[in-house]
Amino acid sequence: MSAVRVLRSRRFLRQLPPGLPASLRRRYSLDVPAALLRTQGYLGGRWVSAASVFPVLDPATGQELARVSDCGPAEAKQAVEAAYEAFQSWKQTTAKERSVLLRKWFDLLVLHKEDLAKLITFECGKPMRESLGEVAYSASFLEWFSEEARRVYGDIVPSPAKDRKILLLKQPVGVASIITPWNFPSAMITRKAGAALAAGCTVVVKPAEDTPLSALALAQLAEQAGIPAGVVNVVPCSREKTPAVGQVLCTDPLVAKISFTGSTATGKVLLKMAADTVKRVSMELGGHAPFIVFDSADVDSAVGGAMASKFRNSGQTCVCSNRFLVQSGVYERFVDKLGRAMDAELRLGHGSEPNTTQGPLINSRAAEKVMHQISDAVSRGAKVLKGGNRLDGSFMEPTLLADVSTDMLCTKEETFGPLVPVIRFETEEEALAVANAADVGLAGYFYSQDVGQVWRVAEALQVGMVGVNEGLLSTPEATFGGVKQSGLGREGSRYGVDEYLEVKYMCFGGLRP
C-alpha cells in the first residue's frame, strides 16, 4: 500500500534541554495510506485545488507534513451552494437511510483507526494512545447519532377543540456551517456533523488551520461510506484566509445554522456575523474549570482525577481543570501526592513514541502564554514545586504551583497548557465563591465523600457539566455545553439533534367531531 511521508523540515531541533528525550533529534515520518492523506478541499463531492497552499506542521518537530489547498471565499461559497443543493434531496431521505449511512461512516472510522490516530498525533501533537482514544470518541458520535436519527419524534398534542388536531413536526433547519478547533480535530467534527446529518441537514466544515488533515480524511471516509455528494463539504484554509472564509460561512443567506467550538472572543465575533440573517447558533466556547478537593475527599482518588483532567493533551482541552482549590485539611497531602504522580507518570516526547504521555503545545504562542502565567504567579508569591520551564520548540514542562492566590493571572484566564496552580481554601462557601467568579462556566470538578455536600456543590457550581469524584466526563450519551460565556446550546446526547431541527406547528382543522 502506498504511503505519504514527511515532505521536508521547516526547522531542526536545537540542543535538547533536560526533560526531552534524545529521540526527538531524529526525523519522524507520517506513514498513512495515500487515500487518507488528502490535501485538497472537498466541495460538492469533488476534491478541489485552490490557487495556493499552506503548510501543515508537526508541532513536536516543526517538520512539514503536507501542503494543503488554501481555500478562500470563492471556495467557501461554492461549498455552501453545494450543501444547499444537496439539502433539497438529503432532507427527503428517510431516517433509516440516514441512520444506515452514518453507521457505515462509523464502521470505516473503526476500520482505519490506526491511520486516523497517526494523523491526529502528527498534526496535533497528542500522544498516540490519546489519539486512538480520540478516534474511538469521534466514531462513537457517529454510532450514537446513527441511532438517534431514527428517534427524532414529533408530538400529537390534545386539542381544546373537537374539530381539529394539533401536530408538532420536526424538520431539519438546512445548511450548517461547522467551525472546529485543533485540539480535537476529529471528534469535534463528528459530534457536530453526526447530529446534523441525523437531523437531515447538510454541512460545510471549516477545520482549524493547524489540523486540516483529520477533517479531510473524515470527508474521504464519508464519501466511501456512500454519503451523497454535497452533504459533507470541507473547506481548509490558512490563518490568513480564515476571516474571509468565516465571513462567508456565517453570513451567506443559504446557511441556516452555525456550530462553533473555540474561544469566547471568536465566538462573539461569529455571533455578531450571524445576527444580520438571524441564524441558528450553537457555541461551545472557552472554559476555566475549577477542580475542588474537600477535606472529606479520597485524596488518592482526587490525585488520579487531577492527573486525568489536567494533563490530557498536555492540558489543551476546553474542559481541563484550570484552578485547583484544595481545602486546608488535605492541602499538603494533595500537593505532595500530586507532585509524586507527576514525576512517576508524565513523560515528554513525540506523540508517536510509545512511552510519551505529554506532547508539545500546538505552537510557540501557546507555550509563551503558559510561561507568562507562570512568571506572573511567581512574581506574586507562588512557589514552583515542579517544572516551570519551557523546553525546545513548544514543549513545556508540566508545572505545579503552590501558594497561589486569586489575583494571579492563571486564576483569571484559561491556560491551555500543563500548569497546575493550587489555591488553599477554608470553607465550602469560599471555594464556591472562587469557582463561580469566572465569567465562563463549561465544566467543573470536585471530590467529596459527604453526600449532602455533593448535592449542594453540584447544584451551586455555575457550569454546564459537573464531575463528582471523576476527572473525565465526556461521552456521546450526555450533553456537552456550558453556561455564562462558555456558549449556547448543547452537543451530544438526544438533545444534540435538536440543535439542527425546527419545530413546525400544524393545525389540522375541519374534522368532524
Side-chain angles (χ1 to χ4, degrees), residues 295-315:
D295 282 344
S296 67
D298 179 327
V299 173
D300 289 334
S301 178
V303 168
M307 292 291 292
S309 174
K310 177 73 259 186
F311 294 112
R312 186 168 56 124
N313 197 16
S314 299

Side-chain angles (χ1 to χ4, degrees), residues 143-152 198 493-495 497:
E143 179 183 40
W144 172 258
F145 286 118
S146 74
E147 298 162 349
E148 285 300 292
R150 301 185 68 178
R151 294 195 284 263
V152 178
S493 81
R494 67 187 180 91
Y495 297 102
V497 179

Side-chain angles (χ1 to χ4, degrees), residues 185 220 353 478:
Q220 169 65 32
E353 295 289 346

Side-chain angles (χ1 to χ4, degrees), residues 38-368:
R38 306 303 303 232
T39 59
Q40 299 166 294
Y42 185 64
L43 318 176
R46 296 185 301 113
W47 295 99
V48 177
S49 296
S52 59
V53 296
F54 66 99
V56 179
L57 307 180
D58 179 346
T61 65
Q63 291 173 351
E64 186 176 293
L65 303 174
R67 296 180 182 179
V68 175
S69 291
D70 194 3
C71 296
E75 288 82 9
K77 177 67 174 174
Q78 183 181 342
V80 168
E81 290 173 348
Y84 184 78
E85 181 180 351
F87 174 64
Q88 308 313 313
S89 55
W90 181 249
K91 67 181 179 181
Q92 301 297 335
T93 58
T94 66
K96 183 176 181 179
E97 289 171 331
R98 297 194 296 275
S99 174
V100 168
L101 289 173
L102 283 168
R103 179 70 196 202
K104 288 181 178 178
W105 197 9
F106 159 79
D107 289 337
L108 287 170
L109 262 68
V110 174
L111 180 65
H112 295 282
K113 61 183 179 182
E114 293 283 343
D115 290 320
L116 294 172
K118 289 178 185 177
L119 288 173
I120 293 171
T121 287
F122 272 81
E123 67 177 349
C124 174
K126 66 177 62 173
M128 189 66 178
R129 183 172 59 181
E130 289 189 20
S131 295
L132 285 166
E134 179 179 345
V135 174
Y137 184 51
S138 177
S140 72
F141 285 107
L142 298 180
E143 179 183 40
W144 172 258
F145 286 118
S146 74
E147 298 162 349
E148 285 300 292
R150 301 185 68 178
R151 294 195 284 263
V152 178
Y153 305 133
D155 293 296
I156 298 176
V157 180
S159 172
K162 294 181 179 181
D163 64 345
R164 68 191 64 179
K165 297 292 183 184
I166 296 174
L167 293 85
L168 303 180
L169 311 178
K170 292 186 178 180
Q171 297 181 317
V173 299
V175 176
S177 290
I178 290 176
I179 303 173
T180 56
W182 51 264
N183 59 335
F184 284 89
S186 180
M188 294 303 93
I189 293 173
T190 58
R191 190 163 73 187
K192 300 171 187 293
L197 269 60
C201 296
T202 56
V203 300
V204 178
V205 178
K206 207 295 284 183
E209 61 273 10
D210 295 301
T211 56
L213 301 179
S214 293
L216 295 169
L218 289 176
Q220 169 65 32
L221 295 180
E223 180 180 85
Q224 193 174 330
I227 293 174
V231 173
V232 174
N233 305 271
V234 180
V235 184
C237 68
S238 63
R239 186 181 304 274
E240 291 72 25
K241 289 190 178 178
T242 290
V245 169
Q247 181 84 21
V248 172
L249 297 184
C250 294
T251 63
D252 193 293
L254 298 183
V255 173
K257 160 81 179 181
I258 299 167
S259 181
F260 170 73
T261 295
S263 71
T264 298
T266 301
K268 291 177 180 179
V269 172
L270 302 186
L271 280 168
K272 291 176 182 177
M273 290 184 187
D276 283 344
T277 46
V278 195
K279 299 187 190 304
R280 288 278 295 273
V281 175
S282 298
M283 295 273 158
E284 193 263 282
L285 306 177
H288 193 31
F291 186 102
I292 308 172
V293 183
F294 290 102
D295 282 344
S296 67
D298 179 327
V299 173
D300 289 334
S301 178
V303 168
M307 292 291 292
S309 174
K310 177 73 259 186
F311 294 112
R312 186 168 56 124
N313 197 16
S314 299
Q316 299 173 109
T317 83
C318 55
V319 292
C320 269
S321 297
N322 236 46
R323 298 168 292 157
F324 288 76
L325 293 83
V326 182
Q327 200 159 12
S328 58
V330 294
Y331 183 90
E332 303 296 342
R333 190 151 50 103
F334 176 84
V335 169
D336 177 66
K337 286 177 176 285
L338 181 58
R340 292 173 185 271
M342 290 170 64
D343 286 340
E345 299 177 25
L346 303 182
R347 296 290 180 270
L348 286 159
H350 193 282
S352 63
E353 295 289 346
N355 294 328
T356 295
T357 66
Q358 299 290 285
L361 301 191
I362 189 64
N363 52 42
S364 59
R365 296 188 305 278
E368 289 163 4

